[in-house]
Amino acid sequence: MKHRIVILGAGYAGAFAAGSLTRRLSAADTEITVVNAVPDFVERMRLHQLAIGQDLTFRTLADVFAGTGVRLHLARVTGIDPERRTVAATGEDGDTELAYDTLLYTLGSSVAHHGVPGVAEHAFDVTGRPSALRLRERLAGLGEGATVLVVGEGLTGIETATEFAESRPDLSVALAARGEPGAWLSSKARRHLRQAFDRLGITVHEHTGIEAVEATRAIAADGRSIPADVTVWTAGFAVHPIAAASGLAVAETGQIAVDRTMRSLSHPNVYAAGDSAYAIGDNGRPLPMSCASAGYTTMQASAAIIARLRGSTVPTVGLKYYGNHISLGRRDAIFQVVGGNARSKSWYLGGRTAARLKSGVLKGAGWSTAHPTFGMPRRRHRLGAAPDRAGVRAAA
């Protein structure tokens, strides 16, 4: 019987992993299935562009995996039974159950409400295509002078506020930050960011925590009322509770606790990558939720799965975080390099050159994930022996 590999999620991590595994493992020994709730590959890093009205084309997963041998199962994951090694899902064909020998969990993350009253009812977000499209429709109906408040001083908040202000100069865009936006950047990069805010006419409310969101305003911790015809919530990410509910060992964040090879600490036939994995980087710190981290953890998980199935030594993939690349609209950006201690170095790149570099990164990430096999090789590896039904051979 073939070794069954099931991958949950087909975002940057899941789609890339599926291609990597099918490219390097023989179809005579393995069967690879990807479970995803929607039929398209969604470039999450560009959803703020979609929300403001820019025309983006998303590739269908059927086209992405055509001719690769990867099986696509369109359904929403509803549960995992790691003891029985099954995944429960529901789709257009009803409820289904998939058995696996090796599971790769890459369900990613969604917006974190942090229990703030009114966020679920009144705020919008850009963490998924459906939510970005709802925001797009709302923004399209706003007239000149309408107010948009972006809550969150992280990368998503900065990119969303600057993209909206550049694309819709008729709107009044503001950013609410608990501290200083871009506080982790070098002093020169922070100055560049402030200049971009000023150039785009963005009002910045520094040291302003939001404690409630209403239909036409947000309430700050100090009691101030900030007008907002639309509130966009970008104040952090949260992972799906399925992992914790299934009995997998998780960190306080709900992310799956993994070892250096991205294998679950509690269930050795389960691996995790991307935002779903609580992975410690080479600097001893948890990797941040980001596309870059998804790339490194996916490469490590794929390499470990292949090596263990072949009975060979598991290679080590570097788990380093090199820096932040922040879009400031279509014509400006910041590329900030960080050191081994995760602190920003003094050097940074800004302006149109950084914007062109960011555009290349986005195009490269989208293309490589949408072409997961990079052209099928003539020869793929056979397994070293009959696959262990537990999905794991002796660790190298």
Side-chain angles (χ1 to χ4, degrees), residues 57-312:
T57 300
F58 294 101
R59 300 171 177 86
T60 67
L61 291 170
D63 289 340
V64 167
F65 296 127
T68 66
V70 173
R71 299 184 178 190
L72 176 62
H73 185 69
L74 292 177
R76 178 174 55 86
V77 177
T78 57
I80 303 170
D81 188 335
E83 308 308 324
R84 294 177 55 237
R85 300 172 201 146
T86 59
V87 173
T90 184
E92 291 185 355
D93 297 329
D95 296 338
T96 55
E97 185 177 85
L98 291 83
Y100 66 83
D101 300 306
T102 295
L103 181 71
L104 177 55
Y105 188 109
T106 65
L107 287 179
S109 61
S110 59
V111 65
H113 293 167
H114 300 301
V116 175
V119 172
E121 297 82 4
H122 302 297
F124 296 80
D125 67 84
V126 291
T127 57
R129 186 181 182 185
S131 58
L133 289 174
R134 286 194 296 271
L135 176 55
R136 180 189 179 106
E137 182 178 4
R138 179 73 177 98
L139 292 173
L142 294 180
E144 183 175 356
T147 56
V148 177
L149 175 66
V150 179
V151 180
E153 68 273 22
L155 303 182
T156 304
I158 292 171
E159 291 196 335
T160 299
T162 52
E163 194 77 47
F164 286 12
E166 180 183 86
S167 297
R168 291 285 305 274
D170 59 311
L171 299 177
S172 177
V173 179
L175 177 71
R178 289 171 296 180
E180 176 189 1
W184 68 93
L185 298 170
S186 65
S187 59
K188 293 181 179 179
R190 289 199 304 274
R191 183 162 58 249
H192 185 110
L193 179 61
R194 288 194 297 270
Q195 291 172 347
F197 286 151
D198 291 342
R199 172 173 54 82
L200 294 169
I202 297 171
T203 301
V204 179
H205 301 282
E206 291 190 355
H207 307 289
T208 302
I210 299 299
E211 292 197 343
V213 176
E214 299 178 0
T216 58
R217 65 175 184 168
I219 308 301
D222 60 7
R224 282 182 297 144
S225 175
I226 302 176
D229 294 305
V230 173
T231 297
V232 185
W233 194 264
T234 67
F237 302 108
V239 297
H240 200 287
I242 284 180
S246 69
L248 294 169
V250 298
E252 291 184 1
T253 58
Q255 296 167 289
I256 297 176
V258 296
D259 64 14
R260 182 57 177 76
T261 69
M262 302 302 114
R263 185 165 62 172
S264 165
L265 295 181
S266 60
H267 293 79
N269 58 336
V270 176
Y271 292 77
D275 289 355
S276 303
Y278 187 79
I280 304 302
D282 294 343
N283 60 4
R285 301 168 181 262
L287 289 175
M289 293 185 185
S290 70
C291 184
S293 297
Y296 303 139
T297 55
T298 300
M299 287 189 286
Q300 179 62 79
S302 300
I305 291 171
I306 292 167
R308 290 192 171 108
L309 289 179
R310 295 185 62 210
S312 58

